[in-house]
Amino acid sequence: MTDENFEYIFSQIGKPVTLRSAGGGEQSPAAAALPLALTGFLGEFGRCQFLDGMLNVVHPSDLQSLADMVFERDKDLGGRKTLPFAYSVFGTIYFWHAEYGVGDVNLVTGQVTCEGLVSQNDDKSNLANTVYVPFMLERESHDLFDDLDKPLFKRALKLRLVVACEQSLW
């Protein structure tokens, strides 16, 4: 069952399109380490998409090997402590870390952001450091822009350069 924060998010960006329901055998130790709100969400909606496919929610095991490669030498975020749970169509992977909260890896720029890793703020109720972050971002935050500052996602869909919801790889 989704919580009130996800219900609010749905009122702002719409409900997700489920691509594949969560299987009963997918309660891995990784999934069990996710916050309760996200495990409830995954149980209800499974792998899904928001914003016409700009934001995709996955099971941690789907992207764990990529997270392992990114963080293999990182003493803070490595060692399977970083659990990917969503990604944007243009290569930002959102992850959860039990100690540091939410963060992201931008595969285009090679940048890792995890405010909880560098912040002295230990407030676990701060929504800016929760699994809700990728869902609360403006639509434009998930897009890329060309030299003229025009968004690329809609043009990529028209040219079939990205996979639409109905044609998902899942």
Side-chain angles (χ1 to χ4, degrees):
M1 186 75 182
T2 53
D3 68 9
E4 65 275 358
N5 291 316
F6 274 119
E7 290 299 330
Y8 173 76
I9 289 165
F10 298 161
S11 75
Q12 300 300 303
I13 65 172
K15 284 204 169 191
V17 174
T18 297
L19 302 174
R20 193 169 97 199
S21 298
E26 289 189 308
Q27 275 302 349
S28 65
L34 292 170
L36 188 57
L38 191 55
T39 55
F41 177 92
L42 285 168
E44 188 170 344
F45 295 101
R47 292 161 177 88
C48 58
Q49 294 180 330
F50 287 93
L51 305 170
D52 302 319
M54 290 182 81
L55 181 62
N56 302 271
V57 179
V58 296
H59 187 278
S61 63
D62 296 338
L63 296 176
Q64 192 62 57
S65 60
L66 181 60
D68 290 347
M69 285 189 305
V70 169
F71 297 114
E72 71 181 335
R73 293 187 179 161
D74 188 303
K75 64 181 177 65
D76 296 308
L77 298 174
R80 296 211 167 224
K81 296 182 243 175
T82 302
L83 305 174
F85 66 90
Y87 67 92
S88 73
V89 70
F90 289 117
T92 299
I93 299 172
Y94 298 94
F95 63 82
W96 173 257
H97 190 282
E99 187 176 347
Y100 303 119
V102 73
D104 66 75
V105 178
N106 185 316
L107 296 176
V108 173
T109 64
Q111 189 171 26
V112 175
T113 305
C114 184
E115 182 181 333
L117 183 62
V118 295
S119 173
Q120 296 298 317
N121 185 359
D122 198 25
D123 183 10
K124 298 292 185 202
S125 65
N126 179 1
L127 275 180
N129 197 26
T130 66
V131 294
Y132 305 108
V133 169
F135 310 100
M136 296 185 307
L137 296 172
E138 297 290 327
R139 182 182 185 96
E140 293 77 28
S141 297
H142 300 295
D143 211 336
L144 286 181
F145 294 85
D146 66 13
D147 303 4
L148 302 173
D149 207 26
K150 298 210 186 264
L152 295 175
F153 182 71
K154 285 186 180 180
R155 287 186 284 162
L157 272 181
K158 286 180 187 175
L159 296 171
R160 299 189 181 272
L161 296 175
V162 294
V163 179
C165 291
E166 302 83 36
Q167 303 168 330
S168 174
L169 299 174
W170 297 109

